[in-house]
Amino acid sequence: MEPTTKIHIENLNVYAGKQQILKNINIEIPKNKITVILGPSGCGKTTLLKCMNRLTDLYPELKVTGKVMINDKNVLEAGEDIVKLRQYMGLLSQRPYPLPMTIYNNIAFGLKLKGVKKRRNLHKQVVRYLQQANLWDEVKNRLREPASRLSIGQQQRLCLARGLAVNPEIILADEPTSALDPISSQYIEEKFVELKNDYTIVLVTHVLRQARRIADFVVFMYLGEVIEQGTVEEVFGNPKMEKTKQYLGGTFN
Amino acid sequence: MKYSGKIEEKVFKILMVIATYSILAVLAIIIYSIFAKGIKALSWEILSQVPQGGYYYGKGGGILNAILGSLSLAFGATLLAFIVGLPVALYINVFLVRRKKLITLFRFILDLVWGIPSIVYGAFGFSMMILLGLQTSLLAGMLTVTLFILPIMIRSMDEILQTVPIGLSEATYSLGANKSELAFKIFTRQTVSGIITAILLSFGRAIGDAASVLFTAGYTDNLPNSLMEPVATLPLSIFFQLSSPVPAVQDRAYASALVLTLIILLVSLFSRGLGKRYHKTKINF
Ligand SMILES: Nc1ncnc2c1ncn2[C@@H]1O[C@H](COP(=O)(O)OP(=O)(O)O)[C@@H](O)[C@H]1O
Ligand SMILES: [Mg+2]
């Protein structure tokens, strides 16, 4: 069965002044799979991810051309509805950024933006998403504490819960385990595998083993270009391009 | 070459040390003389009464008119400057992120008007009053001082807002928030203690300035009772008492200066404490 495409990226170019950060990117990201974007530091993975929910808007020096199609809408040409479009995509960044409010309100914030108003309903959903992110047992007695008091691993799970609470279809994750201890990392990885039944997941990483463990599809990038993309078996088992072989073989320079 | 460089360095170091310690010494002398002369004349009477007839020639009474006048004027001006300034600072940092040049221009202009001496604000306020046919009053003084502290308020909040990490904006947008929600719900919360510091800093400037209230707030021996009436202020009260030929009244001027200094000291200590707490919580994540 052919997987259906969830995100369709066409001729995407990103410039920062004279420097070209992303060069003619064409990617199909399949629905309900984990697509891993793999590549050495500085190859443009984060920038690619930021194009998908147009956080590139925050960087005036970046110029973006091309198409990022999600649900038949070009994210790059969306007007005011970009605010709503972003709710299709939960974001998990390299470092957790809890909102400057209580643990409870970190989850409730997005729910309120979605129009959940009734207190009982709000509470029910906060509990549900904290449970889904395996955080409930650790925080159920401290919901009114500031989120910044949690450990980094807990904060990252809070950010996951917060992202899931706005009910996205896609999860964008930018090296979400790089700041975490091994146990928290393993938890996030396992969670992703579980979540892919309901979500389309785009995971950026430079950790080969992580990619091998959980990827369905792999996009290998180098210096702003997509070198190779395909299923994890294709790219890891039988890489076609020289650069990919070097990177996977660890003889990369 | 090498040798002369060393001598130069030594000379500069000595000059720096001399400059630093002589400034500290001058500050110490000022504070000492205010305390030494002021503490003698400081009494419950001076704090709790308004000037009686002939106060400036040695009769009884106090400076409650100026204390309450200064507090209400500075409080009002700070409140107004905050109400206007916070949205401006948020606008610069959240709405204008894509307009780097415009932001630079705004900051440049604000820094420029920050540097304008307060007597110019006083003169401007005075000419506006003439234009509108207004008398010296608490309101006129308040509005003039508001203008005077506005650049201080905006720029110090602006500096604090710039410390909000871009990752937090990204996280907030990705939850579906718009710019106003990011500005008023996230930026303000993230920087709350820094914003309070900016408010206290502005308050300190507002209460200590004489030139901006000289032509605009007027002076009176009565307690402030209406926005449209003249109001006494501590800096002017100090000035009038110091101009008295009677030594005892001059001592009262020092007592008034002591009161003003203590108010400013308290405010600045308070904002320091908040600043410390702010940095602590920032390291937290
Ligand atoms: N806002 C920006 N302005 C200028 N250059 C940038 C900007 N963002 C990223 N870059 C550059 O683009 C390249 C790719 O960055 P990034 O997408 O962060 O790579 P990765 O996430 O793969 O490490 C880097 O060389 C980086 O310096
Ligand atoms: Mg990156």
Side-chain angles (χ1 to χ4, degrees), chain A residues 11-55:
Chain A
N11 297 331
L12 180 72
N13 287 285
V14 176
Y15 307 84
K18 290 213 174 77
Q19 189 198 355
Q20 188 168 4
I21 299 177
L22 291 180
K23 297 167 192 161
N24 209 31
I25 306 284
N26 290 283
I27 305 178
E28 312 255 306
I29 290 170
K31 194 177 169 187
N32 290 14
K33 303 279 178 207
I34 298 180
T35 300
V36 164
I37 298 176
L38 188 67
S41 256
C43 69
K45 307 182 294 295
T46 298
T47 309
L48 176 59
L49 213 59
K50 280 179 184 161
C51 290
M52 294 186 202
N53 59 358
R54 230 177 75 192
L55 288 177

Side-chain angles (χ1 to χ4, degrees), chain A residues 92-98 135 138 147-160 176-181 184-185 188, chain B residues 283-285:
Chain A
L92 212 51
S93 51
Q94 211 159 348
R95 245 183 66 196
Y97 287 99
L135 194 58
E138 290 157 68
S148 56
R149 293 218 193 121
L150 295 173
S151 75
I152 296 288
Q154 289 171 327
Q155 286 183 12
Q156 194 65 301
R157 275 178 282 156
L158 183 71
C159 291
L160 180 63
T177 60
S178 66
L180 304 188
D181 59 277
S184 304
S185 302
I188 296 270
Chain B
I283 295 166
N284 224 325
F285 78 102

Side-chain angles (χ1 to χ4, degrees), chain A residues 156-245:
Chain A
Q156 194 65 301
R157 275 178 282 156
L158 183 71
C159 291
L160 180 63
R162 170 181 86 184
L164 294 178
V166 291
N167 201 19
E169 296 168 12
I170 299 163
I171 295 172
L172 305 176
D174 189 0
E175 308 195 25
T177 60
S178 66
L180 304 188
D181 59 277
I183 292 176
S184 304
S185 302
Q186 193 192 348
Y187 163 75
I188 296 270
E189 279 185 20
E190 284 167 2
K191 197 76 209 174
F192 276 5
V193 174
E194 189 186 318
L195 287 172
K196 76 174 174 185
N197 296 317
D198 301 313
Y199 302 87
T200 300
I201 297 175
V202 184
L203 171 70
V204 162
T205 187
H206 65 260
V207 184
L208 284 175
R209 271 167 300 144
Q210 187 172 56
R212 206 190 298 262
R213 276 196 297 271
I214 64 173
D216 297 308
F217 284 82
V218 176
V219 177
F220 175 63
M221 291 181 63
Y222 181 66
L223 291 182
E225 283 178 276
V226 171
I227 305 294
E228 193 163 349
Q229 58 181 314
T231 64
V232 66
E233 294 83 14
E234 283 166 3
V235 176
F236 275 89
N238 186 19
K240 294 187 188 59
M241 308 299 288
E242 199 54 35
K243 273 271 174 284
T244 322
K245 284 179 196 162

Side-chain angles (χ1 to χ4, degrees), chain B residues 98-253:
Chain B
R98 291 191 65 80
R99 310 286 302 275
K100 281 265 157 70
K101 280 190 186 137
L102 198 59
I103 293 180
T104 314
L105 181 70
F106 270 14
R107 292 200 173 120
F108 178 72
I109 292 174
L110 285 168
D111 287 345
L112 211 67
V113 290
W114 181 325
I116 295 175
S118 60
I119 187 85
V120 178
Y121 287 93
F124 174 75
F126 187 59
S127 58
M128 289 316 275
M129 283 158 58
I130 291 175
L131 206 70
L132 300 171
L134 293 174
Q135 302 281 318
T136 55
S137 62
L138 175 55
L139 183 66
M142 211 182 261
L143 292 175
T144 307
V145 173
T146 302
L147 284 183
F148 164 58
I149 61 172
L150 203 50
I152 300 167
M153 182 75 92
I154 295 174
R155 275 294 275 137
S156 38
M157 289 198 287
D158 173 44
E159 287 294 321
I160 292 299
L161 293 176
Q162 285 178 61
T163 64
V164 174
I166 199 158
L168 185 58
S169 303
E170 294 181 351
T172 310
Y173 279 138
S174 71
L175 293 173
N178 60 28
K179 289 190 168 108
S180 328
E181 282 150 352
L182 177 65
F184 286 100
K185 295 191 173 144
I186 303 300
F187 268 61
T188 49
R189 268 180 234 237
Q190 176 77 7
T191 56
V192 71
S193 39
I195 288 176
I196 294 174
T197 305
I199 294 172
L200 294 177
L201 182 77
S202 309
F203 181 85
R205 292 296 292 268
I207 203 167
D209 192 65
S212 55
V213 291
L214 185 57
F215 319 118
T216 54
Y219 196 79
T220 170
D221 285 346
N222 300 326
L223 291 179
N225 57 7
S226 152
L227 277 173
M228 302 322 253
E229 300 278 318
V231 71
T233 48
L234 277 167
L236 291 188
S237 164
I238 295 168
F239 174 69
F240 291 133
Q241 294 174 86
L242 216 47
S243 324
S244 164
V246 184
V249 178
Q250 291 175 9
D251 285 347
R252 288 188 202 152

